[in-house]
Amino acid sequence: MNAGAKLFTPETWLPYGMSAHLTYQAYSNSNTFNRDNQWVGIGLTLPLSGPNAAPRYIRPQSQQEGVDQQAPTINLQQASSVAQTKKEAAPAITKVEKKVTAEKTAPTHSLTRLTQRLTAYGFENVSVGTRQDELVVRLENNLFNVNEIDSLGVVLGLINEEMSQPKFVFVLLNNNLPVVKVSGTQQDLNNLFDADNLGQIPARTNLTITTNQLYKALDGVNWDSNRESSHLFKPRVIFSPSIYSTIGSEYGVFDYSLALATNVQVPVWTGAWWT
């Protein structure tokens, strides 16, 4: 039987999401040899990923309660801006002047060019087509692995520059399985990527982001291209740190094994990996 107390600092006391605690064990009925039945300990917790309040997400607060009551909504404008400045990918997307050109009056050429730009950027399983007055795009993101929201910003930027239809539907794939759908109008994208609004409050944008009924979003599409730059049978080598540790084992106070883990993954069919 043990008795004691543990005190934690309030969330607002320390920066960067850190927290500190003080532990005091006042009593223990253990009769283990050389055991300290009374002791004091201090601890500090530091999140390696940074604070939770990432600016990429907006959590509207209730004016009455002063607390979060709505689900996070994605700030795609900021996400696209972040994605465009990433050094790991191709050069940033530049703003194209909104003017009527021969390219805008040639939908087939626009679809082919969009496919070429998406595959040249490095996306896989690229399919571009139309359904009535909609432009439909689906693709696999294996470029932005820290946060796939960055890939949404890049793809929507390219769609904005190439689309000649009044509406669009974009479906993001994982191992050729649809996971996220973004839909809206050409005017929504114009408002989102208007150069005059970057860094400011954007004009009203009614983009819809959902994970429901994704397969229906791909029904009845007249595909101009289908699964360009397939992801199948492309081996990927992943390096990551691996540590196993034990505190207070029969070997010592702290025992650890630190290694560089190497993992090879090969997609073999839709939804399946060999690893």
Side-chain angles (χ1 to χ4, degrees):
M1 179 178 295
N2 302 296
K6 195 168 187 176
L7 305 177
F8 295 87
T9 58
E11 293 182 355
T12 57
W13 279 22
L14 298 176
Y16 306 112
M18 295 189 298
S19 66
H21 60 266
L22 172 68
T23 305
Y24 172 56
Q25 180 165 294
Y27 167 79
S28 176
N29 64 354
S30 172
N31 56 6
T32 303
F33 180 69
N34 278 343
R35 172 186 166 98
D36 293 326
N37 289 338
Q38 286 185 314
W39 51 269
V40 176
I42 59 174
L44 179 68
T45 301
L46 171 64
L48 298 180
S49 60
N52 293 329
R56 183 170 291 138
Y57 301 95
I58 301 175
R59 285 189 170 98
Q61 291 187 345
S62 167
Q63 295 181 357
Q64 296 178 350
E65 302 292 339
V67 297
D68 297 343
Q69 290 192 337
Q70 300 184 33
T73 57
I74 299 176
N75 186 344
L76 283 176
Q77 181 190 23
Q78 189 167 12
S80 63
S81 178
V82 172
Q84 291 176 21
T85 57
K86 274 186 173 290
K87 296 181 180 179
E88 67 185 43
I93 303 170
T94 57
K95 178 70 177 177
V96 175
E97 290 182 275
K98 303 294 189 295
K99 59 183 180 179
V100 178
T101 64
E103 296 175 349
K104 287 292 183 180
T105 60
T108 302
H109 294 164
S110 179
L111 297 179
T112 303
R113 187 168 54 252
L114 178 58
T115 301
Q116 293 172 346
R117 295 186 67 180
L118 290 171
T119 54
Y121 204 94
F123 296 111
E124 298 174 335
N125 291 343
V126 177
S127 301
V128 177
T130 57
R131 179 178 50 207
Q132 297 179 353
D133 60 346
E134 288 182 323
L135 168 68
V136 182
V137 177
R138 65 180 178 188
L139 56 78
E140 187 102 10
N141 166 48
N142 285 311
L143 291 175
F144 301 96
N145 296 318
V146 175
N147 194 334
E148 288 199 310
I149 295 177
D150 295 331
S151 68
L152 299 187
V154 172
V155 174
L156 293 181
L158 290 171
I159 290 176
N160 179 53
E161 294 182 357
E162 298 293 346
M163 71 180 297
S164 56
Q165 293 77 14
K167 301 179 181 179
F168 79 94
V169 173
F170 165 51
V171 176
L172 181 66
L173 307 174
N174 276 172
N175 204 3
N176 205 40
L177 296 174
V179 292
V180 175
K181 180 185 75 171
V182 184
S183 58
T185 66
Q186 188 178 44
Q187 186 59 48
D188 290 332
L189 292 182
N190 290 342
N191 294 340
L192 185 66
F193 291 100
D194 189 342
D196 295 334
N197 286 329
L198 287 179
Q200 304 175 13
I201 299 177
R204 183 173 179 83
T205 300
N206 295 315
L207 293 177
T208 300
I209 303 174
T210 182
T211 58
N212 299 326
Q213 299 181 339
L214 299 181
Y215 285 99
K216 291 184 179 180
L218 301 174
D219 289 342
V221 179
N222 181 22
W223 297 109
D224 179 72
S225 59
N226 191 23
R227 296 191 65 180
E228 298 293 325
S229 184
S230 174
H231 82 303
L232 293 178
F233 304 108
K234 289 183 178 179
R236 307 182 193 280
V237 181
I238 302 171
F239 298 100
S240 60
S242 177
I243 183 170
Y244 296 90
S245 62
T246 303
I247 297 177
S249 72
E250 64 272 28
Y251 295 107
V253 177
F254 179 72
D255 305 302
Y256 70 93
S257 173
L258 178 64
L260 178 66
T262 306
N263 188 29
V264 179
Q265 291 184 343
V266 181
V268 290
W269 65 76
T270 296
W273 291 78
W274 175 88
T275 181

